[in-house]
Amino acid sequence: MSLFGAMTSGVFGLIVQCSAMGAIADNITNVNTVGYKNTKTDFQSLVSKQTSARAYSTGGVQARPLQLNDVQGLLQATTSQTDIGVSGAGYFVVNESSRPSINSEFLFTRAGSFPQDNEGFLRNAAGFYLQGWPTDPRGNVILP
């Protein structure tokens, strides 16, 4: 192994550690944000082709960030009667329109703060309307 190869291996290691530290810093910074998702960094070894029987060819390491958007966070109590939470699997369906059409884009969120607007619709801080179906007191869906 040459001196350059040894230095390159060390630099790769430091770069990967910086990526892992960046993920940890992001996790700490955003821990109290609504709908926060965790990031985990895994390390992957890189093996290079040996081009010579006499000289060692250095490998390396690579950081592989993994976005964990399927981990259940803690449910928090609020004073709003329209705040809701999902415990377990699932998402809230939202839309830009209070009365979407077939061509409207439906989006998903796990953030459940939906205050009522002046028309009585449940709307989140981003301006999206909560989608759903009206039900009777027994929970049966009322079709329009």
Side-chain angles (χ1 to χ4, degrees):
M1 175 190 296
S2 68
L3 181 59
F4 178 75
M7 296 298 288
T8 302
S9 293
V11 169
F12 279 146
L14 289 172
I15 290 171
V16 170
Q17 280 299 100
C18 286
S19 294
M21 293 295 288
I24 292 169
D26 287 344
N27 289 339
I28 292 170
T29 302
N30 296 312
V31 73
N32 287 323
T33 59
V34 176
Y36 168 68
K37 305 299 178 239
N38 187 18
T39 301
K40 176 183 172 190
T41 303
D42 288 332
F43 299 100
Q44 182 178 32
S45 295
L46 302 176
V47 180
S48 59
K49 182 178 179 181
Q50 297 295 328
T51 57
S52 169
R54 294 190 182 135
Y56 177 73
S57 179
T58 60
V61 67
Q62 183 177 29
R64 303 292 275 178
L66 177 63
Q67 301 291 329
L68 301 174
N69 61 359
D70 59 348
V71 178
Q72 174 70 41
L74 297 175
L75 295 178
Q76 296 179 347
T78 70
T79 57
S80 174
Q81 294 180 350
T82 59
D83 285 354
I84 51 180
V86 176
S87 181
Y91 291 91
F92 300 114
V93 180
V94 295
N95 194 286
E96 290 181 319
S97 172
S98 61
R99 292 180 177 87
S101 69
I102 193 76
N103 297 324
S104 297
E105 180 180 25
F106 291 90
L107 305 168
F108 302 95
T109 182
R110 285 188 60 98
S113 179
F114 292 99
Q116 274 188 336
D117 66 5
N118 57 357
E119 295 180 41
F121 292 107
L122 299 179
R123 201 169 184 187
N124 66 13
F128 293 102
Y129 292 92
L130 179 64
Q131 302 298 295
W133 293 273
T135 60
D136 65 18
R138 294 182 183 171
N140 299 317
V141 174
I142 302 170
L143 297 175

